Each structure stands twice: as C-alpha cells, then as structure tokens.
Amino acid sequence: MLATIRSAGVAGVEAYDIAVEVDVAPGLPHFTVVGLAAGAVKESRERVASAIVNSGFLLPPRRTTVNLAPADTRKEGTALDLPIALGLLVATGQLDAGRVRDVAAVGELALDGTLRPVRGALPVARHVGATPGTTLLLPSGNVAEARLVSGTRLSAPSSLREAVDALRRGALPEPPPPPPATSPSGPDPAPDLRDVVGQGAAKRALEIAAAGDHGLLLVGPPGSGKTMLARCLAALLPRLSEAEALEVIAVHSVAGLVAPDRAPSFFRPFRAPHHTISSAGLVGGGSVPRPGEASLAHLGVLFLDEMLEFPRHTLDALRQPLEDGHVVLARAAGSVRFPARFTLVGAMNPCPCGRAGDPAGRCVCAAADVQRYRARLSGPLADRVDLHVSVNAVPVRDLAARADAERSCAVRERVERARAVQVTRYASLGVGCNGRVAGRWLERHTPVDREARERLAVAAERLGLSARAYYRVLRVARTIADLDGDEAVTVASVAEALRYRPAVSDRADDGRASAGRAAHATFEA
C-alpha cells in the first residue's frame, strides 16, 4: 500500500514542500530511504522502526521504500522522522489516510516514540501557514517559535502514540496558550551608556552609527573602554518590529540557536566572535550551508574585538555583505541566501603593543611593525567603515565622574526620531530605514547646502577620497543632519562626518599614510 505525508525542508531561511511517499510491498524485509537523503535522514529508518514498535504499533516484515520528493533536492536533518512514521502507519493500514490529508508533519523521534525539537520550525510554520486549512504537527519544544507566525494552525503532541490517537479521533489538540508574557522588551541585556565614563566623541559616534546603520571602528589602547562602548550600541538601536523579529528568529532557528520551550528574544542580536574564527564561521558555509556570525547578527550588531587579530582574508569576506546586506553561499547542488544586514563595530589597538600615542612614550614598536600591523585591515574594507574614532584612556581620577552621563534610553529616543525621518524619506525606494540607500540618490534627491557640497568636494580632493568614500561621508552627514533636526545637509554636518574618516583608507597598501595625514590636518585647519 502507498501513503503520502506532507512535510517541509529548509533551504537557507526559506522552507519548501517535501512529499514523504511510503510504499510497503510484499518481499524480503528491507527498509530503504531514497530521494537524495543525507546521513541523518537515512538513519531515520532505525529511529522510526524502534519508535513504532515501542509505541505499541506493528511493523510488518515487508519491503519498505520511502521516497522524499522532490528527489533531486538534498534532504538534511531529523525533521522527517515523524512524517515517515505516519506514512508507515498509513501504508500498513494502522491509520486512515483521510486523517492525514490536511496535516503537515515535522519532528525527530526518540526510540521510545517521544517527539524532539528540530531546527527551522519558524520557516516551516510560515510556509505551512500559507496553505489555508493545513495543520502543522510538530514537537512541543518548537511551539514557542512557531506560534509567532499568526494564522498557522498548530498541534504539538508529546509522542508518536499521542499524535496517532489524536488523528484517529479526528481532533488534533491545539497547544496550550503561552503563559502571560512579560513585556517583550524587558530589561535590556546591553550595558547602559551612562556607565561609560568620558569618551564623549565615541558616544557621539555610537549615536550616529545607530541612527544611520554605519560601520564603526574604535581605535585605542587596552583598557580605554572600547569593548564596553561597543556593547552599548545594541541598546541604542530601536526595538525590533514584529516583521524584523521574525527575520532574526528565522535565522537563529535554522542555526539551532532557539532554545526549546522558551519564547524567542526580541532584542537586537549582538554577536562577538573570537578572532580565531574561520571565514565559513564568519559569513557562513559548510557542505550543508549554515548561517555564519554575519547572518546571526542580522538587524543587530557584529562586534569584532581585537579586529586586527582576525586573518585578513577572513575580514575581507565581510566586504560584500556590508554592501549587499546578504550572503549568498554557492555550492555544486545549488545556492542559498542568508540575510546579513548588520551594524559592524570593530575595536583595535593603535599598534602591536597597544601603547602608541601614550603621553608617557612607552610604545616600543618600530615604525615598520606598526605599518605591518595596520596593514591587516585592507584599504577596501576600511573604506566601507564609515566612522573611525580614537578612544583615549580615561584618567583614573575621572572614573568616579558619572553623575551627568546620559542614559541609553535618552539617546535611543533621538535615534528613533532620526530613523522615523529616514523611513519617510526612503519610502519611495522601498529600502526602509537601514542606512544603505545609495549616496548618489542622497546627493540628487535630498537638500545639500551649496557651501556643504563645496566643502565636501574640496575634502575629497585633499584627502584622496574614493568615490565610495565620498558618498559614504555624505551619508554620514545626512544622518548627522537628521539627528540634529536639519532638513538640509549643512557645513557643520559635513565637517563632523569628515572627522570620522581615516586620513587615507588604503594607507597601509600604498605607503601614502604620512601624506594623507598631512592633507587631513591641512583641511581641518
């Protein structure tokens, strides 16, 4: 007898239909899984057979063939255990085929028939919910994330036995309602900006980065507060909207980072990978493509502490995601796309020993060592980081001065107002408030004072700015104007934006560092 059960798989962060076809025919006992199944899927035959027997059902000694359609798409994971088991029970006459007609099933089976959580429940729930009248049968540990998709009918039995009994009755129980939720915002896990002593220039740069989604590089000696400043940035970003939260949780669900039986977090993600990470770990990869740290930081903050300790080729892998806002991983069997629209924050020492610029003159690094050290950050990547800020050590006697420090919530209010202005401005482009609108569009369609435009042109000539750097300075100036409530980009906003540019973005690559610094000093004067 032949049975077909609907299920779903995940490619990237999108789900697709899988038809689990089970045929039980006379012949020597044999259990075969076909349809480009990976190792974990092929092993399901052992789990399914044990779960069926231990749940009190019969497993006739016959020739069993399971086909996973479409057969030319590779199937991964353990989510197909439950539909294979249901298909076997239908094919052997222990469950009526009509009872599973409007059901899609995913779930891993333990040997005793208990259902265990699987990855990608949110994309699957979103995909199944697009078909009216279909109920998604899934483990109870995945209900918290699946119920975030409104309009999807869910049922979460605890075991195969419970699922079959409910199907036989024709009444799949709905999962119990969630406990009364506290505020989805709750206490923010990020440190408060008022706890950072001094560093007024760095705090202003954090505000600009949050308002315009600009990359930020903090350069300073050890212990000057670079890491703490970076961790404050997540608290300055606006709360995630419902649509944004679903995007973030979908990526984390595919990566297996959503804890079972726990409501997903609605805070902006903050990812801080160690500098020994590989390129695949940073931007994603593997024979079965998985999201990397850049995608896990989607709509949040990607913090690279000790940035120059990362291998140069690993850092350069971020160049395209910074421009495009997504990562495309191509493999022989196809390609998948992961979102990666994050705010990049890097922290680095000014030299290998970390004491360059120390008033006490304690730096022991040779000029050639400093040049090689800074060359680890390539010019093209430095060009894509809009804000470069020096963070100096705070005098010990000033560490107790915190009374007048501004709180993160006050800064976030200004950020939200600036982003609201940007949403209105960019609505015609359909790009929302993400700071990635083309600088050319800004120059043509937003007010720029004549004097500000001339100042920017002169700066581009004297500082050797590339076309990309020119437009990025304009974008930063536009963000500063939005924060200050100015309709047009003014000379003051352009001047402030220029202070955040490095003297020459490719200084370590062409040996023009000293000339660039001289030109920068001339312009500032």
Side-chain angles (χ1 to χ4, degrees):
M1 183 176 177
L2 179 66
T4 301
I5 307 295
R6 183 185 174 189
S7 186
V10 178
V13 292
E14 300 295 331
Y16 62 94
D17 282 321
I18 294 178
V20 179
E21 301 171 341
V22 181
D23 178 61
V24 178
L28 293 176
H30 189 66
F31 197 133
T32 304
V33 180
V34 298
L36 213 57
V41 182
K42 290 181 178 179
E43 291 172 353
S44 65
R45 58 193 176 194
E46 311 299 338
R47 294 190 296 270
V48 168
S50 297
I52 286 178
V53 173
N54 291 328
S55 297
F57 303 107
L58 298 177
L59 188 63
R62 300 200 177 175
R63 181 177 181 83
T64 302
T65 304
V66 177
N67 179 48
L68 309 175
D72 61 346
T73 301
R74 187 170 179 81
K75 318 301 186 307
E76 299 283 347
T78 58
L80 298 176
D81 288 4
L82 179 58
I84 290 175
L86 294 177
L88 265 170
L89 295 177
V90 172
T92 56
Q94 301 176 73
L95 180 63
D96 183 22
R99 300 296 187 183
V100 295
R101 185 172 293 115
D102 297 325
V103 170
V106 292
E108 177 185 336
L109 286 174
L111 297 185
D112 62 354
T114 302
L115 282 176
R116 290 173 173 165
V118 295
R119 295 184 179 190
L122 179 60
V124 169
R126 188 161 46 192
H127 180 73
V128 172
T131 305
T134 301
T135 299
L136 176 60
L137 206 63
L138 79 170
S140 58
N142 292 126
V143 169
E145 57 178 298
R147 73 180 353 140
L148 295 175
V149 182
S150 57
T152 302
R153 295 168 56 181
L154 304 175
S155 183
S158 60
S159 65
L160 177 62
R161 177 88 246 183
E162 183 180 335
V164 174
D165 289 344
L167 287 168
R168 285 173 173 172
R169 294 193 305 268
L172 288 171
E174 296 184 1
T182 57
S183 171
S185 55
D188 202 317
D192 198 285
L193 203 59
R194 70 173 177 177
D195 295 329
V196 180
V197 180
Q199 308 297 3
K203 291 180 180 179
R204 172 64 171 175
L206 284 176
E207 182 177 349
I208 296 170
D213 195 19
H214 301 289
L216 171 65
L217 179 61
L218 302 172
V219 184
S224 57
K226 302 186 297 294
T227 300
M228 189 173 185
L229 283 164
R231 293 187 179 277
C232 289
L233 179 57
L236 305 184
L237 296 171
R239 302 295 187 190
L240 290 171
S241 66
E242 182 177 352
E244 290 174 333
L246 288 180
E247 287 185 47
V248 172
I249 297 170
V251 177
H252 287 232
S253 176
V254 170
L257 299 182
V258 178
D261 301 317
R262 186 181 302 174
S265 171
F266 280 77
F267 289 111
R268 300 245 176 197
F270 181 91
R271 306 293 299 184
H274 193 261
H275 61 260
T276 56
I277 193 172
S278 64
S279 297
L282 187 60
V283 298
S287 57
V288 181
R290 297 290 185 196
E293 292 293 332
S295 294
L296 296 176
H298 179 57
L299 297 179
V301 178
L302 177 63
F303 175 46
L304 304 183
D305 200 3
E306 302 297 342
M307 190 172 183
L308 296 192
E309 298 300 328
F310 286 77
R312 178 165 170 164
H313 71 275
T314 300
L315 289 177
D316 283 344
L318 292 173
R319 285 154 59 174
Q320 189 170 353
L322 284 171
E323 293 285 346
D324 300 337
H326 62 262
V327 175
V328 177
L329 303 176
R331 298 293 182 268
S335 62
V336 296
R337 172 173 167 165
F338 293 109
R341 199 167 71 245
F342 54 87
T343 300
L344 176 65
V345 181
M348 56 173 275
N349 296 329
C351 67
C353 75
R355 294 191 290 268
D358 191 330
R362 294 180 294 174
C363 180
V364 296
C365 301
D369 294 335
V370 175
Q371 185 174 1
R372 280 194 298 270
Y373 179 71
R374 296 190 177 186
R376 297 178 186 177
L377 181 64
S378 68
L381 179 58
D383 219 23
R384 288 170 168 83
V385 179
D386 296 337
L387 309 172
H388 295 240
V389 181
S390 295
V391 182
N392 298 318
V394 178
V396 175
R397 295 183 181 275
D398 295 342
L399 293 179
R402 337 187 154 181
D404 299 331
E406 192 173 29
R407 301 196 60 172
S408 293
C409 56
V411 178
R412 185 170 60 241
E413 290 178 0
R414 294 198 297 270
V415 169
E416 290 173 344
R417 287 196 296 268
R419 288 205 171 201
V421 172
Q422 294 169 10
V423 166
T424 302
R425 179 187 302 123
Y426 304 147
S428 60
L429 292 181
V431 296
C433 178
N434 56 33
R436 298 185 185 275
V437 65
R440 184 184 298 272
W441 187 92
L442 283 174
E443 188 175 41
R444 293 180 178 178
H445 296 86
T446 61
V448 180
D449 289 350
R450 181 185 300 274
E451 187 178 353
R453 195 185 302 273
E454 179 62 23
R455 178 69 64 90
L456 185 55
V458 171
E461 295 173 355
R462 293 186 180 180
L463 305 181
L465 299 181
S466 65
R468 176 172 55 226
Y470 172 86
Y471 286 120
R472 283 184 173 272
V473 171
L474 180 60
R475 281 182 47 219
V476 174
R478 179 66 266 177
T479 300
I480 294 171
D482 291 336
L483 284 170
D484 295 342
D486 297 328
E487 182 178 354
V489 175
T490 63
V491 174
S493 59
V494 167
E496 183 176 0
L498 285 167
R499 286 199 294 271
Y500 296 118
R501 292 300 303 179
V504 177
S505 296
D506 53 353
R507 58 192 179 280
D509 296 317
D510 61 8
R512 292 182 290 132
S514 58
R517 284 192 295 270
H520 198 281
T522 300
F523 175 76
E524 287 293 333

